[in-house]
Amino acid sequence: MQLIIVESPSKAKTIEKYLGGKYKVDASGGHVRDLPEKRLGVNVAKNFEPNYVVSAEKKAVIKRLREKSAKADKIYLATDPDREGEAISWHLQEVLGLQGKAQRIEFNEISERAVREALKNPREINMNLVDSQQARRVLDRLVGYKLSPLLCKRIQSGLSAGRVQSVALRILVDREREIRAFIPSEYWNLSVSLKGKGAQFRAMLSERDGKKYKPSGGEEAARVLAEIENKPFTVSDVKRSVTSSRALPPFTTSTMQQDASSKLNISSPLCMQIAQHLYEGIETAEGHLALVTYIRTDSVRVSAEAQAAARKFIGEKYGADFVPEKPNFFKSRKTAQDAHEAIRPIDVTMTPEKVRPLLDRNHYNLYKLIYERFIASQMADVRYDSVQIAVDADRYTFRTSGKTVLFKGYTAVYDDYRLNETEEDSETVKVIPKVEKGEVLSLQGVEKEQKFTKPPVRFTDASLVRVMEEKGIGRPSTYATIISVLSKRKYTVKDGKSLVPTDVAFTITDMLVKYFPDIMDVSFTANMEDKLDGIESGGDWHGIIAEFYPPFLEQLNVASTDGDELTDIPCDKCGAPMIRKSGRYGKFLACSRYPDCSNIKSENEEVSDVPCDKCGAMMVVKSGRYGKFLACPNYPACNNVKPLDEEKTDEKCEKCGGDMVVKKGKYGKYLQCVSCKATRSMAEKAGVCPLCGHPTQKMTSRSGKTFYGCSDYPTCSFMSWDMPLGENCPKCGSYLVLAKDGRTKKCSSKECDYVLKAPKAGETKKDGGKN
């Protein structure tokens, strides 16, 4: 048996369908080990070595794979063909103990041909790719785990920061500030209707004295019209030409997300999720079917086989004229890794129409977009008959232009400039009448329209991905994740397609820019991306982290201690001077010997007249998330705490004989439905009762319940919702309590029905029986 280990179960099904027989295919479900969730997991003192751990949910997977590996004659690690996939293969090799036994294979598409070809060319794991992934993981962990607690401490809890995420957020915040600071300027569009020997047409005022010009007000526009009213309109220039437009290259990860957003209204995270399904394979009547090549790529390269298949298909379906004389080749961006092909259909004969019954709407639309973009990329240019006309009237120049399609070329399949638009609505069918240079035209009419300059537009998923790619921030595999994190953290909200930063996004950005200018600098982040990419060629990843970390740690220290002030107040525990610090709840005092001494206290700590029940020290008033309370000043030697507003009663505890005190629940106010008594948080004001459906206005505000507890808590945990009376029930011997009406005695035992109701003023008490 030969074992192939992939990442996803869907991919495993597809590959096993192709191979079968002696091959068994299993899935790791992504990473089998990673840095720990709740601690740093990076040994800063020992060359930043990561400490990988196996999560609980992965132990069963590892056990299963280890058992299968032991029975296999050959083992192939076939995780995704990128550095993340290379790292997953390395982790599998380490955890399963496959050194010297397993080999690495990779394929750009999940087709039988590609998989069998990969099996013929196994290789060792590329540790340069692994190190590149490790460097990113460690760097992102150091930045995220150091910055996030700082934000929680100084701004509010629940915040996070990231090496690339925070720079992307700054881009959004900076644009929003530009929009808010924008002051619109008035201008006017002037157009004229002109007629010569041919048909009438319109031209727009564009220049005055040879320079670009638009009237800036209504009066100025009126003066221009008055100046040209009786002037001759002479054709000063006519340019006719046959122009061509070349097809766009097939999709990269970035351009696919941009088109999916702008044309299909699919967000970047959803686009990548759908694309992953198309890559891994979908369930059909004939089994799993994979439709597109690997979807995380920044290359526009296409294999010779795929190119030949596309040209043959185009010739058969559209005709020889639509097949370019030479195959179309495209140049990738300078920063592209070019490790994989562009995103394309695996089989051009699997047309969108053929697979439509197999796909839901979103999967079909994205596959159609990928398919048509690829086919169009291999088609002939579109050709236009273009004309540009300039008409002079005194010192003013009016211009118009138009074009008609001579040959559709690639637009027969994919037109990047029109979406759901008929040709009759398109500018490309606008026909300009024939005019000659020097010809004098007659003025048929004028129009003027007031306009105002518009502020910069907000970023959408598509435009943010585009600018991140242009600036070298992040990589194809991270664009969608970054946008998703910003949304989940409530740093952005959607206004239609637009990404709008929330108030907390401005606070976070300002703080990080102030204390961490390098991390928040776009060029610094792009340069770091290049350094991390360079590790793939054999660079030292430890050195890159070692160069980055000390300055970052210094900035972190400044940000953490900014506003701190050394005082002459001695520490209650060790005598060292206390430092006045600022936190999100205000100023407080902390020992200067931290972490050797972790004493902290309020600067204006109020000493109460209540002695500590445990050590006798006078308790102090402190503030917590549920309000003020009493705490022993000898903490941590004595950790006694008690409510500030405890009220002693004359009653004694039924268990230990201690004093009973009145207490209040810690949960403060809440909403309670007046119909079914269901409760919910005060913050949940919108909607209806979760149980009975009554609207919110039917819910009433309640405070935390009052109850009675022993003053010796936690030594004695006795409590009662009703006040104990220090009397025993005559029927069962349990203690009696006073009901909420203040005059009814009842037994505290649920099994006993004894009730004694005191008469109101003027009533006569009845004897005997149950009252």
Side-chain angles (χ1 to χ4, degrees), residues 751-768:
E751 285 74 29
C752 181
D753 62 354
Y754 178 79
V755 176
L756 179 63
K757 194 169 185 178
K760 293 181 180 179
E763 290 183 349
T764 304
K765 182 177 179 180
K766 298 179 180 179
D767 295 326

Side-chain angles (χ1 to χ4, degrees), residues 269-436:
L270 180 58
C271 171
M272 293 305 293
Q273 181 181 334
I274 296 169
Q276 185 73 23
H277 295 161
L278 297 176
Y279 165 66
E280 292 180 353
I282 56 168
E283 195 71 51
T284 69
E286 291 81 28
H288 255 65
L289 174 67
L291 291 171
V292 303
T293 57
Y294 192 54
I295 45 90
R296 292 178 180 86
T297 177
D298 53 8
S299 172
V300 292
R301 177 173 52 82
V302 175
S303 70
E305 295 84 357
Q307 200 168 51
R311 287 169 63 83
K312 179 183 177 183
F313 176 82
I314 293 165
E316 291 173 353
K317 182 166 184 179
Y318 298 97
D321 289 346
F322 287 84
V323 182
E325 186 177 340
K326 294 181 180 179
N328 291 341
F329 292 94
F330 302 91
K331 190 175 181 181
S332 298
R333 299 173 65 91
K334 287 183 179 180
T335 56
Q337 298 297 294
D338 203 42
H340 315 292
E341 287 187 59
I343 302 170
R344 60 170 176 81
I346 292 174
D347 182 358
V348 293
T349 65
M350 296 298 293
T351 62
E353 293 74 23
K354 187 179 290 187
V355 300
R356 186 166 196 168
L358 307 175
L359 304 175
D360 63 25
R361 182 172 60 87
N362 280 340
H363 285 73
Y364 166 75
N365 285 339
L366 186 60
Y367 179 69
K368 184 172 185 286
L369 203 65
I370 293 170
Y371 183 94
E372 292 180 347
R373 174 79 168 231
F374 171 68
I375 293 296
S377 74
Q378 301 305 314
M379 294 178 73
D381 297 351
V382 58
R383 295 196 303 275
Y384 300 102
D385 183 7
S386 302
V387 61
Q388 294 178 327
I389 300 173
V391 180
D392 289 347
D394 194 35
R395 58 195 293 211
Y396 300 100
T397 300
F398 294 78
R399 294 186 181 274
T400 191
S401 63
K403 58 184 178 181
T404 55
V405 177
L406 296 176
F407 177 66
K408 283 189 173 183
Y410 72 85
T411 60
V413 175
Y414 184 94
D415 191 342
D416 189 53
Y417 304 101
R418 298 197 304 275
L419 179 67
N420 298 328
E421 185 179 35
T422 62
E423 287 193 355
E424 288 71 28
D425 297 327
S426 171
E427 184 189 9
T428 58
V429 297
K430 179 180 176 182
V431 179
I432 303 298
K434 292 184 178 180
V435 293
E436 303 296 332

Side-chain angles (χ1 to χ4, degrees), residues 594-621:
Y594 178 84
D596 296 326
C597 178
S598 57
N599 185 29
I600 60 171
K601 66 176 185 178
S602 170
E603 184 170 9
N604 301 309
E605 209 164 62
E606 179 186 347
V607 180
S608 73
D609 57 358
V610 179
C612 176
D613 306 328
K614 294 182 178 180
C615 68
M618 301 307 290
M619 302 191 83
V620 295
V621 179

Side-chain angles (χ1 to χ4, degrees), residues 311-601:
R311 287 169 63 83
K312 179 183 177 183
F313 176 82
I314 293 165
E316 291 173 353
K317 182 166 184 179
Y318 298 97
D321 289 346
F322 287 84
V323 182
E325 186 177 340
K326 294 181 180 179
N328 291 341
F329 292 94
F330 302 91
K331 190 175 181 181
S332 298
R333 299 173 65 91
K334 287 183 179 180
T335 56
Q337 298 297 294
D338 203 42
H340 315 292
E341 287 187 59
I343 302 170
R344 60 170 176 81
I346 292 174
D347 182 358
V348 293
T349 65
M350 296 298 293
T351 62
E353 293 74 23
K354 187 179 290 187
V355 300
R356 186 166 196 168
L358 307 175
L359 304 175
D360 63 25
R361 182 172 60 87
N362 280 340
H363 285 73
Y364 166 75
N365 285 339
L366 186 60
Y367 179 69
K368 184 172 185 286
L369 203 65
I370 293 170
Y371 183 94
E372 292 180 347
R373 174 79 168 231
F374 171 68
I375 293 296
S377 74
Q378 301 305 314
M379 294 178 73
D381 297 351
V382 58
R383 295 196 303 275
Y384 300 102
D385 183 7
S386 302
V387 61
Q388 294 178 327
I389 300 173
V391 180
D392 289 347
D394 194 35
R395 58 195 293 211
Y396 300 100
T397 300
F398 294 78
R399 294 186 181 274
T400 191
S401 63
K403 58 184 178 181
T404 55
V405 177
L406 296 176
F407 177 66
K408 283 189 173 183
Y410 72 85
T411 60
V413 175
Y414 184 94
D415 191 342
D416 189 53
Y417 304 101
R418 298 197 304 275
L419 179 67
N420 298 328
E421 185 179 35
T422 62
E423 287 193 355
E424 288 71 28
D425 297 327
S426 171
E427 184 189 9
T428 58
V429 297
K430 179 180 176 182
V431 179
I432 303 298
K434 292 184 178 180
V435 293
E436 303 296 332
K437 185 175 181 179
E439 183 179 347
V440 177
L441 309 173
S442 61
L443 179 64
Q444 302 295 306
V446 297
E447 285 187 10
K448 59 179 181 178
E449 182 183 17
Q450 184 186 32
K451 293 283 207 177
F452 292 91
T453 54
K454 295 181 179 180
V457 295
R458 288 190 174 110
F459 285 104
T460 62
D461 281 18
S463 57
L464 182 59
V465 167
R466 183 170 62 249
V467 78
M468 288 174 67
E469 183 181 42
E470 289 171 352
K471 294 181 179 295
I473 301 169
R475 286 298 178 258
S477 59
T478 63
Y479 298 144
T481 304
I482 290 167
I483 292 172
S484 177
V485 168
L486 294 179
S487 174
K488 287 179 181 178
R489 291 288 180 181
K490 308 297 184 193
Y491 299 162
T492 62
V493 292
K494 281 285 186 78
D495 180 8
K497 288 186 178 182
S498 299
L499 296 170
V500 184
T502 58
D503 290 342
V504 73
F506 288 84
T507 307
I508 291 171
T509 299
D510 289 344
M511 179 181 168
L512 294 179
V513 168
K514 177 180 179 181
Y515 295 112
F516 304 93
D518 288 345
I519 287 178
M520 296 298 285
D521 181 71
V522 171
S523 59
F524 177 87
T525 304
N527 184 49
M528 180 60 72
E529 295 283 7
D530 292 339
K531 288 182 179 180
L532 295 172
D533 288 343
I535 297 170
E536 296 183 11
S537 302
D540 175 23
W541 75 268
H542 296 92
I544 292 174
I545 307 294
E547 180 184 357
F548 165 84
Y549 192 66
F552 169 66
L553 204 60
E554 186 177 333
Q555 292 173 335
L556 189 70
N557 184 55
V558 171
S560 302
T561 60
D562 189 26
D564 291 359
E565 177 188 348
L566 189 66
T567 71
D568 56 2
I569 301 172
C571 174
D572 306 333
K573 296 178 180 178
C574 68
M578 303 286 278
I579 295 176
R580 185 177 290 110
K581 301 177 76 72
S582 295
R584 68 175 186 267
Y585 297 120
K587 291 187 178 295
F588 63 96
L589 294 174
C591 183
S592 59
R593 291 185 61 246
Y594 178 84
D596 296 326
C597 178
S598 57
N599 185 29
I600 60 171
K601 66 176 185 178

